[in-house]
Amino acid sequence: MKILFISAFFPYENVSHAGGKTVYYYLNSFAKDDEVTLLTFVTKQDFDKLDHTYPYRLVPAKYGYTVKDKVLRFIMSKATKYWPLQKYCGFYNTYDEFLLKKKLAELAREKYKPDIIILEWTQCVLTRDLVHSYFPDSKIVASEHDLSVVGFQRKVKAAEKGFTDKKLEDLERLELGALAQCDMTFFHSREDLKRAKNMMTQCKDKFSSIVPYYDDYSTVEWKPTTKNIVFFGALNRVENVKSAVWFYENVFCKLKDTSWKLILLGSHPDEKLVSLSQQDEKVIVTGFVKNIKPWLQNCACMIAPLVMGAGIKVKVLEALSAGVPLLTNEIGMEGIDAENEKEYFHCQTAEDYIRVLDAFFDSEDKLAAMSIAEKKFVKSNFDKEISYERYRDSLLHIAGKK
């Protein structure tokens, strides 16, 4: 089977973001069984990785490779800065489309004919009609890391700057329209799968899901020797910064026991978080940590008090796989059907977090049982290898190879 992946971001080994890790995992899994080509956008900071050897054919669309490219990108990006001119709701600008067309044309001139084309991320899903115009005989599959209209809806509701009802209406029309035209869509979140089936009942038979990649920490033996509360993630991302600050101000500062420590674990910490650690010695910002297992093994619990975001949260799966007691909310558990009080602590309000933490060590037997239940839950419901086998089997059917 010939498969063409089209990715908005370069999915190399040790890529920092969760979506890139998922693409990397499935891309390399397919490359073991099939003839795979990757057409991916590559930014300047990743140019050094183009010299590596990959088990698939790499077709890079390079951003700013020459001075001419930089000037062209600047002009084209400015031309589509304003919403009425944004063909892809701001996910792609004219320069992105120019690069994609250039690479698609190169492949078409070679008489390259993939059986399956997988569009990674909403950015690429929105280009479905463009891709189809170059490869009309190929089956086109959408890989939806998250249903973007959901995250956009939350930002509109929160009255965030730049997010309006009109833009949401445009995005719904484009994203749902593109998904309707794809031959199959695989959602990375089961919650997004449910939403999409409800929103597009006529397409529900073309919708399925895959397990996102996560680092499996099932070998961790949770033995809390500290009173550390761990928050884990890229600490320069807006949603993580806002969530960590919210937790500190509304929960951490109000706990009865003052011996707790808040560990902010992750790379590129925002200055707001660094400032917190300078003001309060009980807040520790680690920066990049190569091996987080010791932190998970010795901490009391992990938190994911997310105030914004959409899609499945990989850090939640990683915490559950390690058997670390987890406190999180509805956003954190999106697409993860774990049971409250058995496999995690559901905390929707600041008062919920305070209640759980103030009584945290009252029942060590309950915590030990929860640790075991978490690991069993992840193993039973989020097996990556089984997910790949089902994913490939579906593509073989779509391509008429099985």
Side-chain angles (χ1 to χ4, degrees), residues 222 260 300-301 325 327 345 355-363 367:
W222 178 68
W260 287 104
C301 61
L327 286 68
F345 292 105
R355 173 181 52 79
V356 171
L357 289 169
D358 280 346
F360 191 76
F361 290 106
D362 287 357
S363 177
L367 294 176

Side-chain angles (χ1 to χ4, degrees), residues 1 11 47 70 82 107 160 163 170 177 204 208 221 261 275 284 289 307 342 384 390:
M1 182 166 55
F47 283 175
K70 292 178 182 178
Y82 300 100
L107 291 172
E160 289 197 28
F163 294 88
D170 288 345
K204 62 181 182 180
S208 188
E221 293 185 19
K261 288 186 178 180
S275 179
I284 299 172
V289 175
V307 298
K342 178 183 178 182
K384 297 189 293 288
R390 291 174 177 171

Side-chain angles (χ1 to χ4, degrees), residues 132-270:
H132 178 72
S133 69
Y134 285 90
F135 301 103
D137 297 325
S138 300
K139 299 296 184 181
I140 299 181
V141 169
S143 176
E144 277 278 69
H145 292 237
D146 55 63
L147 195 55
S148 293
V149 294
V150 175
F152 209 106
Q153 284 170 346
R154 289 173 179 162
K155 291 177 180 179
V156 170
K157 187 176 181 180
E160 289 197 28
K161 186 178 179 181
F163 294 88
T164 65
D165 289 326
K166 178 60 172 66
K167 292 180 182 180
L168 175 59
E169 185 180 311
D170 288 345
L171 179 58
E172 284 184 350
R173 173 177 51 82
L174 288 172
E175 184 176 22
L176 302 187
L179 295 179
Q181 292 299 314
C182 287
D183 294 285
M184 192 81 181
T185 296
F186 293 88
F187 295 90
H188 296 206
S189 165
R190 292 166 190 170
E191 189 63 31
D192 280 342
L193 173 62
K194 293 177 186 176
R195 289 193 184 101
K197 285 185 173 182
N198 289 332
M199 296 167 75
M200 306 170 67
T201 56
Q202 75 281 10
C203 298
K204 62 181 182 180
D205 292 338
K206 299 195 300 179
F207 292 163
S208 188
S209 65
I210 59 174
V211 171
Y213 179 84
Y214 61 93
D215 288 322
D216 184 357
Y217 293 115
S218 58
T219 57
V220 168
E221 293 185 19
W222 178 68
K223 295 178 180 179
T225 57
T226 68
K227 299 196 79 172
N228 291 345
I229 301 171
V230 172
F231 180 92
F232 173 54
L235 298 182
N236 59 340
R237 296 189 64 170
V238 175
E239 58 267 39
N240 287 336
V241 176
K242 287 187 175 182
S243 300
V245 171
W246 178 89
F247 181 84
Y248 175 79
E249 294 177 347
N250 295 281
V251 178
F252 190 74
C253 291
K254 299 178 181 180
L255 295 174
K256 292 179 181 178
D257 187 343
T258 58
S259 64
W260 287 104
K261 288 186 178 180
L262 177 59
I263 311 298
L264 304 179
L265 192 69
S267 59
H268 309 295
D270 185 272

Side-chain angles (χ1 to χ4, degrees), residues 228-232 296 299-304 315-316 318-319 324-328:
N228 291 345
I229 301 171
V230 172
F231 180 92
F232 173 54
L296 296 177
C299 73
C301 61
M302 181 171 161
I303 56 167
K315 60 187 164 189
V316 168
E318 291 174 342
V324 175
L326 173 72
L327 286 68
T328 188

